[in-house]
Amino acid sequence: MDLSLLTAISPIDGRYRSKTEPLAEYFSEYALIRYRVRVEIEYFITLCELPLPQLQDINHQLFDQLRDIYRQFSPADAQRVKEIEKVTNHDVKAVEYFIKERLDAIGGFERYKEFIHFGLTSQDINNTSVPLSVKEALEDVYYPLVSELIEQLHDYAEQWKNIPMLAKTHGQPASPTRLGKEIMVYVYRLEEQLRSLKEIPVTAKFGGATGNYNAHHVAYPQYDWREFGNSFVSEKLGLEREQYTTQISNYDWLGAIFDAMRRINTIVIDLDRDFWMYISMDYFKQKIKAGEVGSSAMPHKVNPIDYENSEGNLGIANAILQFLAAKLPVSRLQRDLTDSTVLRNVGVPMGHALIAFQSTLKGLRKLILNEEKLQEDLDNTWAVVAEAIQTILRREAYPNPYETLKALTRTNEKLTGEKIRHFIETLEVSEDVKEELRAITPSSYTGI
């Protein structure tokens, strides 16, 4: 079968391709090759700027042409790299040979070509390319979508900030709250975790075959190669260089990024389940779209499928993120190859997260507030004002207020507003206190 949206094995590249397509610019095979070419060329330019003695006479006006190799990198260029790889059986070496081909086409680089990939091992390229792709995907795609979700929630929190709502703890009626405040809980949580994620440094390994700049130092001992590497990784790639490494990155900070993304996903799972419950409680209706079917058997159904889709995709994402964070920092001695194939999957959990966030947003934007139902539940649950009454009675030094209210409310009989008012009249407290107690209703007892 030819690869298509219908024949793709992963739903990320099949059914949900329209939702995940932006990530192809960062995590596809084409993108990885382009990032590798970018790092190789920027490294070569930085050697020229140092300059190494053999590169000091190179025409710096050619740098724009060099950068165009990755700035104008096309799928056809990536295919050429793959053709070279069939011969080399090494993906990074194929990139080196591809760049040398392009230098030949530009002309004037014959004396300088061997400084492409000079002194490096493949992981100097991979462990800068992958973190760079993660960094730019977060900035360009992930952060804006999470921010859009937060903004939508914030709009609802403001819109519904004065809507009283019966709270449920342990699934049972509890002290009333406000709908807007409960949504604001998610705004706060997501903002905090997004801020935390953005503060995590994106680090890279760049130090030669075993992290010691052996080849660089033996060829040019007069240079401070550690400082060179720090400057190159920071100034040209916008990353932070890991100072002590083996052949590969320690992946510790990349693991921290994955853990932070997992926390954000977990918050959205919590949100999905809450809104699913609110819809099941009839607190929200859902906008109906002509032609859509909720159930193949039950015509009346309008199911909260967007939240279910989101929860499922976030569960998959979190399982992969947890594996990546636990596996990548572990490698035998100076390096084994298990990280190589694992690294190719770093875009997968982000793909599932994108599907999920868009589904949650779709679900949120279909909501129709059913304020009557919220008010009905409050009016039918007067027992929740018991906390308020017994607290005021405590303030007034009334004897055994908690036990008194417990005896009144802890019953299988329905406690109405009328019964509460009758109870208040039996209390031996001042008229002012009674007036204070009479003013308390399930709708007004919502705190600050």
Side-chain angles (χ1 to χ4, degrees):
M1 286 185 187
D2 291 333
L3 180 63
S4 72
L5 297 183
L6 292 175
T7 61
I9 295 173
S10 168
I12 289 177
D13 288 316
R15 180 179 179 86
Y16 301 121
R17 178 69 178 185
S18 62
K19 294 184 176 182
T20 62
E21 191 166 5
L23 293 180
E25 286 292 324
Y26 308 92
F27 299 118
S28 63
E29 182 75 359
Y30 155 79
L32 176 59
I33 295 171
R34 189 191 67 223
Y35 274 109
R36 286 167 169 167
V37 171
R38 175 177 166 184
V39 172
E40 291 276 17
I41 287 176
E42 289 296 342
Y43 170 65
F44 175 75
I45 289 174
T46 308
L47 289 177
C48 296
E49 292 170 338
L50 186 57
L52 289 182
Q54 289 81 359
L55 300 175
Q56 61 184 347
D57 62 341
I58 197 168
N59 185 354
H60 287 205
Q61 293 181 345
L62 294 173
F63 290 171
D64 261 350
Q65 287 182 265
L66 291 177
R67 289 189 168 106
D68 281 343
I69 298 175
Y70 70 78
R71 288 190 296 216
Q72 299 175 9
F73 194 76
S74 68
D77 292 329
Q79 186 58 47
R80 175 55 188 154
V81 174
K82 298 302 289 185
E83 290 170 0
I84 298 172
E85 186 183 342
K86 291 177 182 177
V87 178
T88 62
N89 197 31
H90 194 288
D91 48 6
V92 175
K93 201 66 178 176
V95 168
E96 176 187 342
Y97 289 166
F98 166 79
I99 294 173
K100 288 178 176 178
E101 281 186 357
R102 294 299 302 270
L103 294 184
D104 287 340
I106 294 172
F109 285 97
E110 185 60 35
R111 291 190 297 128
Y112 314 116
K113 283 196 307 182
E114 289 310 312
F115 288 93
I116 298 294
H117 201 70
F118 177 80
L120 301 181
T121 186
S122 59
Q123 286 307 102
D124 293 314
I125 304 303
N126 290 330
N127 288 164
T128 46
S129 295
V130 172
L132 189 55
S133 70
V134 170
K135 178 177 182 288
E136 294 186 344
L138 287 172
E139 292 173 345
D140 298 343
V141 181
Y142 183 87
Y143 293 158
L145 189 55
V146 175
S147 296
E148 184 180 353
L149 177 56
I150 293 172
E151 184 178 352
Q152 178 64 71
L153 292 168
H154 193 276
D155 287 346
Y156 279 153
E158 182 64 24
Q159 183 178 337
W160 297 326
K161 65 182 179 181
N162 294 320
I163 302 295
M165 181 178 77
L166 183 67
K168 293 286 185 72
T169 59
H170 308 278
Q172 305 301 307
S175 298
T177 184
R178 282 160 289 113
L179 176 58
K181 175 261 171 177
E182 296 308 312
I183 294 174
M184 197 64 195
V185 169
Y186 286 108
V187 173
Y188 170 73
R189 293 174 67 188
L190 287 170
E191 285 180 339
E192 286 293 292
Q193 294 307 318
L194 183 59
R195 176 186 55 78
S196 177
L197 171 56
K198 289 180 177 181
E199 290 175 353
I200 297 173
V202 186
T203 65
K205 178 267 175 180
F206 195 81
T210 54
N212 309 324
Y213 288 107
N214 301 45
H216 294 79
H217 183 69
V218 75
Y220 297 101
Q222 66 271 35
Y223 293 104
D224 185 343
W225 289 107
R226 283 177 295 188
E227 181 55 35
F228 171 88
N230 291 340
S231 297
F232 166 67
V233 171
S234 174
E235 295 172 12
K236 293 297 177 67
L237 306 181
L239 307 172
E240 292 187 24
R241 193 180 80 87
E242 298 162 11
Q243 298 301 304
Y244 295 92
T245 70
T246 59
Q247 186 177 94
I248 63 174
S249 169
N250 54 53
Y251 298 116
D252 296 333
W253 286 112
L254 195 57
I257 288 172
F258 296 149
D259 284 338
M261 292 174 67
R262 190 156 53 91
R263 289 195 297 274
I264 289 174
N265 290 349
T266 299
I267 293 169
V268 178
I269 288 174
D270 198 19
L271 182 153
D272 288 332
R273 291 179 179 177
D274 274 3
F275 276 96
W276 188 98
M277 290 291 293
Y278 289 141
I279 291 169
S280 76
M281 294 157 61
D282 207 26
Y283 285 3
F284 293 103
K285 305 289 187 181
Q286 296 181 91
K287 294 176 183 175
I288 298 172
K289 187 175 181 180
E292 286 190 350
V293 174
S295 166
S296 62
M298 294 172 281
H300 71 284
K301 296 290 288 295
V302 183
N303 295 328
I305 57 174
D306 301 303
Y307 304 100
E308 295 166 347
N309 176 282
S310 176
E311 182 181 342
N313 275 284
L314 291 173
I316 294 172
N318 277 1
I320 298 172
L321 288 168
Q322 185 173 27
F323 168 74
L324 291 172
K327 187 274 156 292
L328 285 173
V330 180
S331 184
R332 296 170 183 85
L333 303 180
Q334 279 64 57
R335 141 350 108 98
D336 63 43
L337 202 62
T338 53
D339 67 309
S340 180
T341 188
V342 169
L343 276 180
R344 291 180 177 274
N345 291 277
V346 298
V348 175
M350 200 177 296
H352 283 288
L354 255 61
I355 296 166
F357 296 157
Q358 290 174 76
S359 291
T360 298
L361 275 166
K362 183 179 179 182
L364 290 173
R365 288 165 179 166
K366 288 163 65 173
L367 294 176
I368 301 173
L369 178 63
N370 185 5
E371 196 170 348
E372 290 182 5
K373 179 59 178 175
L374 275 77
Q375 189 61 51
E376 178 186 327
D377 278 4
L378 286 165
D379 292 342
N380 288 332
T381 320
W382 273 82
V384 295
V385 303
E387 178 192 41
I389 295 172
Q390 65 97 7
T391 303
I392 290 177
L393 292 180
R394 282 174 182 261
R395 183 195 71 194
E396 297 298 316
Y398 194 89
N400 303 315
Y402 177 88
E403 289 73 17
T404 301
L405 269 296
K406 178 182 175 184
L408 174 68
T409 60
R410 198 175 175 89
T411 174
N412 287 326
E413 294 182 10
K414 183 176 181 180
L415 187 63
T416 64
E418 183 179 350
K419 289 181 180 179
I420 288 288
R421 285 188 288 271
H422 176 74
F423 168 77
I424 292 172
E425 298 309 319
T426 67
L427 296 172
E428 295 182 4
V429 294
S430 69
E431 183 60 28
D432 287 344
V433 172
K434 287 183 179 181
E435 190 62 30
E436 189 178 1
L437 295 176
R438 293 186 196 107
I440 299 171
T441 69
S443 296
S444 67
Y445 183 52
T446 58
I448 56 173

